[in-house]
Amino acid sequence: MDFPRALRERRTRRHLSQLDLALRAGTTQRHLSFIESGRSVPGRNMVVRLAESLELSLRERNELLLAAGYAPAYPESPLDDPVLAPVRTAIGHILRGHLPYPALVVDRGGDLIAANTAFDLITEGAAPELVGPGTNIYRLALHPDGLAPRIHNLAEWARHILARLGHLEELRAELTGYVPQLDPSAGLLGFAVPLLLQSSYGELRLMTTVTTFATAVDVTLAELKLEAFLPADAATAEALSAATGPTGASATADQAPGNM
């Protein structure tokens, strides 16, 4: 990778001028101009400061360091690495603590790492090959053998899913082919796009939240996302509680790499 070009592309992508980035990184516009033109070779600390000032992901920071000829600064540990054992334990606690509402953890590409038992109500009726650890939740959501036939507001929900796939061009192209050209319907909550999903307990109206490890210094950990579903009305809350049953509070999360 050409470092000057890589730096310039990331700066322009964030709509920052050279002066803006220079001020953030504690350098001068002249020096930054020389770096972007290849007339000046930045030291490792300068590359790190520029990457932080651009608010790049840890993966992109490593890529920028490599492009400049330096070793990556951030480790990328397998999820089953002993060093991440406390993380796996914490994720298990969070998934169980969210019961009776569904929750799951996915990696950068949307592949399922773990889910709690309440997620079974979301996936009921889906083809077995689309469900379980290692499968892709975005494909599960929009595939005709997945959730799509049960989603009442498929047009809105599909747009919500596809908007999250900017860094996954091949997957986005595949899933776009599954989505019919439907006109968006009325009836949104006004502040979020709900998932209107038919289930064996009636229609579920669900909102979603996404949580990340904001202070992570490991690439794998930084790219994990915890997606939690919340009821958008009392009927959905009652249905989820009924589906999980009286033992829901003590139910365990599904197994994930590393015996989570």
Side-chain angles (χ1 to χ4, degrees):
M1 187 186 301
D2 178 2
F3 175 76
R5 184 184 64 186
L7 177 61
R8 187 166 55 252
E9 287 177 350
R10 283 157 176 75
R11 176 179 60 77
T12 55
R13 192 187 308 156
R14 285 159 177 76
H15 307 289
L16 293 173
S17 67
Q18 285 186 343
L19 179 59
D20 291 332
L21 179 56
L23 290 174
R24 289 187 180 190
T27 187
T28 64
Q29 181 180 0
R30 178 182 175 84
H31 187 203
L32 182 58
S33 176
F34 277 26
I35 291 174
E36 288 194 353
S37 66
R39 297 170 62 187
S40 178
V41 178
R44 179 184 174 85
N45 287 343
M46 175 55 69
V47 176
V48 171
R49 278 160 48 195
L50 290 170
E52 290 177 347
S53 300
L54 287 167
E55 299 180 347
L56 300 180
S57 67
L58 299 190
R59 181 177 297 278
E60 286 186 296
R61 294 181 193 188
N62 279 346
E63 290 173 351
L64 204 59
L65 281 163
L66 285 169
Y70 300 110
Y74 305 95
E76 184 175 356
S77 309
L79 189 57
D80 59 357
D81 192 299
V83 74
L84 294 184
V87 173
R88 297 193 298 273
T89 299
I91 289 174
H93 286 317
I94 294 171
L95 291 177
R96 288 189 293 272
H98 195 67
L99 290 168
Y101 306 144
L104 63 152
V105 176
V106 298
D107 65 13
R108 177 174 181 265
D111 291 343
L112 183 67
I113 302 299
N116 64 13
T117 54
F119 190 60
D120 292 344
L121 187 60
I122 303 293
T123 63
E124 63 179 7
E129 63 270 19
L130 297 176
V131 180
T135 59
N136 190 274
I137 64 160
Y138 304 129
R139 183 176 290 111
L140 168 68
L142 301 184
H143 195 284
D145 293 330
L147 307 186
R150 297 166 48 216
I151 299 177
H152 293 171
N153 60 333
L154 183 58
E156 292 90 353
W157 190 251
R159 291 179 183 179
H160 166 69
I161 295 295
L162 295 175
R164 301 167 61 177
L165 303 182
H167 65 297
L168 301 169
E169 295 182 3
E170 291 186 8
L171 181 61
R172 180 185 172 92
E174 175 196 339
L175 300 189
T176 299
Y178 297 145
V179 179
Q181 296 298 316
L182 301 175
D183 293 328
S185 60
L188 299 185
L189 294 180
F191 55 86
V193 176
L195 170 61
L196 307 182
L197 183 69
Q198 188 60 41
S199 78
S200 55
Y201 285 79
E203 183 186 72
L204 305 177
R205 293 176 58 87
L206 298 162
M207 301 180 292
T208 60
T209 63
V210 177
T211 304
T212 60
F213 290 87
T215 58
V217 292
D218 186 284
V219 175
T220 299
L221 179 57
E223 293 178 343
L224 292 182
K225 292 182 174 62
L226 171 70
E227 183 150 357
F229 292 82
L230 297 167
D233 57 26
T236 298
E238 292 175 2
L240 292 173
S241 295
T244 305
T247 60
S250 60
T252 59
D254 292 341
Q255 288 289 324
N259 297 320
M260 182 181 296

